[in-house]
Amino acid sequence: MLGGGPAGAWAALAAAHAGARVVLVDKGRCGSSGPTAKGSVALWNIPPGPAREEAVDRSFRHGGELGDQEWMHRVLQETHRRVDQLVRWGYQFPGERAGRPTRVRLDGSKYLGRMRRSLIVAGVRILDYHPALQLLVDSEGVVSGAAGLQVRNGFGAWSVRASAVVLATGGCAFLSGGAGSDVDTGDGLLMAAEVGGELSGMEFSNAYALTPVGDLGCAAVADEVPGPGIAPAPDLALHFATLYDESGTALGGSGFGSRAAAFAAIADGRRVYAALDEIPGPLRKQLARTPLFAAQGCDPVRIPLRAVLEGTVRGTGGVRLVGFDCATTVPGLFGAGDVTTREPITGAVGGFGGQGGAWAISSGVWAGAGAAGFAGRRPGLGKARPAHGAGLNATAGIDPRAVVGLVQEHTLPLRRSYWRSAGSLRDSIAELDGMWPVTEADLGGKGPDRLRARQAAALLAVARWTKYSALARAETRGMHRRTDHPGAASDWRVRLRAGGVESVWVRPEQCDPGEAPQQADLTPA
C-alpha cells in the first residue's frame, strides 16, 4: 500500500483481512499526515431509502451527468456499512453525546488514529516516512512492488516486492499551502502514468478553498498566490458564513453558491470578506481561538479571504479505474482515494458534499480486496525492475524550485485555473511542455534533493495533464469554466481520458465498470 491516509488505511485493512501480507508505506507518518489529519472530514453517508435515491439523482445532475448512478449507490452502501463499523470499533462521532446522531462528519486526527490502531491489530507492517518514488514492473509490465527513500534513516533506499500494489498517495495541490497538503504533490499520478496508466477527469482539477489572508491585514490581496504554511479556515464554519464583496454586497446567497461567487469576485480583482458574526456560536468560538482570527487590528466581523488551490485533492481528476475492484489499466496496480478519478460519483464537480470522504472509504475497501485477490491468483514473482522515472537523475543540473515556480505560476492564480480560455491554456501548455525535457535530463540529486526533484517532476506532469484536458473540453461544465465556451454542450457529455509522459494525449473514455468486488470483513482480531 502506497499512502497512509484514510484510503490507504482502509485498503490495507481490507487486504489483510482477505489473507494477504500487507506492507504500508507513507511519505509522512501514517495517521497524522495529510489533509485529513489536519481538520474534519465530511462523509456522504445516507441511510437506505428515498433520501438516498434523491441524493444520487441530485449528485448526477449536479455533476453535469458525467457520473455513474450505480457507482454512487455502491459508494453510499459501502460508506454506510463502514461508518457502522467505525462505531463498533469505538469511534465517537461529534454531536452524538449531545443527542444529535449525525454520522456525516469525522474528526480527522481521531479518525486516522483509530485506523492506525486497527492496522496494527490486523498485522499490517507500517513504514512511516518512506516516500515511494518508483513502481517496480516485471518483464510483462505487471506491477510488482515499489521503491523509494527512508527519510528518517539518512535517506537510504528501500524496495518492496509485492504481487499487487495499491496507489493511495493522495492528489495534487501544487504546494499551494493548504493544511496538510504539502504531501500531496501528485507522485502517485506520475508513477501510474510511467507504467502506462491512464488518467481521467483532469480538467476538473481546479478546486479552490477560501482561507483568511495570510497576515489578516485589513485589505485582502486579490488573486494572491498563497505561501506555504497558510492553512485554510475551518471549512464548515465558512460554509455557514455569509460572504460579501468590498461594496458590502452579499455573494450568491449562502453555502456553496456563495463560495462560487466569491471565487469569481476574487478572480475579477474584488476583495471578499466573511461575516464571522453570522457563523453559529460554537464554530465562531472555534475560529476565534485560532491565531489568524486572534490577530490585532482587524474587524472580527469582516474577515478578508483569498482563494487557495486544492487541485485534485478536492477536485475530481486522477488515475482511471476500470472496475468496481478499483483496478487500473495496468495489471497489478490498483487505486484508492484522491489519487484516482472520482468522476463516477462526482462527475464534473469535486467532492464538496462529503463524496471525497466516502470515496476514500469505499475505494479503499474495494482496492484492498481487489489487490489481495489479484495477488492470490498470481503464480509468483519473477525479476522486476524500477520503471523509468523523471526527476531521478544521479546529479542535478537544474534547481527543482525553478520547476515548482513555473508550475505554480500556471496553476495557482485564479486567472489561470478558475477561468480558462484557449489562449491562456495554450500559453501554459507551451511553457510547461518546454520545461519537461529539461526536467527529464537535468532534474535529480541524492538524499533530500532526490525527493524534492521527484516531487517537482510530478507537479509538472500533473499540471500538463490538467491543461491539455482543459483545452480539449471546449465547453463549461461543473468546475471547468471556459470563458470562450461559456455554456455546456450536449455533445461533450463524455469523460476525457489522458495519459502520456513525454507526449500528453487526451481522448474520450469508454466506460467499463467490470465486476463487483467481494465484501470484506474488517473487524480487528
Side-chain angles (χ1 to χ4, degrees), residues 91-305:
Y91 181 84
Q92 182 87 40
F93 276 80
E96 288 198 310
R97 292 179 179 175
R100 300 191 300 274
T102 55
R103 296 175 178 177
V104 296
R105 189 164 290 273
L106 292 159
D107 180 294
S109 61
K110 293 181 180 178
Y111 169 37
L112 288 181
R114 172 68 267 183
M115 295 301 297
R116 183 182 176 100
R117 290 193 293 275
S118 297
L119 290 171
I120 294 171
V121 171
V124 174
R125 184 183 180 190
I126 301 173
L127 300 178
D128 295 319
Y129 304 106
H130 279 60
L133 301 183
Q134 296 169 279
L135 293 173
L136 307 181
V137 293
D138 67 11
S139 59
E140 297 181 352
V142 181
V143 173
S144 304
L149 295 175
Q150 305 176 55
V151 174
R152 293 291 178 89
N153 189 23
F155 284 90
W158 63 263
S159 179
V160 174
R161 299 290 308 281
S163 298
V165 172
V166 175
L167 272 179
T169 53
C172 181
F174 300 103
L175 295 178
S176 61
S181 67
D182 56 311
V183 296
D184 290 320
T185 51
D187 311 3
L189 284 82
L190 179 56
M191 283 189 281
E194 287 172 339
V195 296
E198 296 181 356
L199 311 170
S200 183
M202 295 305 291
E203 69 272 34
F204 307 121
S205 301
N206 56 334
Y208 282 86
L210 290 171
T211 182
V213 172
D215 60 1
L216 262 185
C218 293
V221 179
D223 205 19
E224 181 182 1
V225 176
I230 305 298
D235 187 69
L236 180 61
L238 288 179
H239 176 73
F240 286 102
T242 300
L243 306 180
Y244 299 90
D245 67 11
E246 56 195 5
S247 69
T249 302
L251 297 171
S254 61
F256 297 113
S258 66
R259 281 194 268 185
F263 294 138
I266 296 172
D268 290 340
R270 287 179 284 157
R271 297 169 183 169
V272 171
Y273 301 87
L276 188 59
D277 61 335
E278 297 179 14
I279 297 174
L283 291 174
R284 186 166 66 250
K285 292 179 180 178
Q286 176 187 355
L287 286 180
R289 289 195 298 267
T290 64
L292 283 172
F293 291 95
Q296 300 296 320
C298 284
D299 182 356
V301 176
R302 279 166 46 98
I303 303 300
L305 304 176

Side-chain angles (χ1 to χ4, degrees), residues 9 27 29 32 46-47 81 84 90 141 162 166 223 365 411 438 449 511:
K27 181 186 283 190
R29 183 181 184 275
S32 59
I46 304 171
R81 291 184 65 229
D84 287 345
V166 175
D223 205 19
V365 172
T411 55
V438 179
D449 292 336
C511 298

Side-chain angles (χ1 to χ4, degrees), residues 1 12 14-23 122-124 368 371-373 375-376:
M1 304 297 159
H17 285 284
R21 288 195 304 163
V22 181
V23 177
V124 174

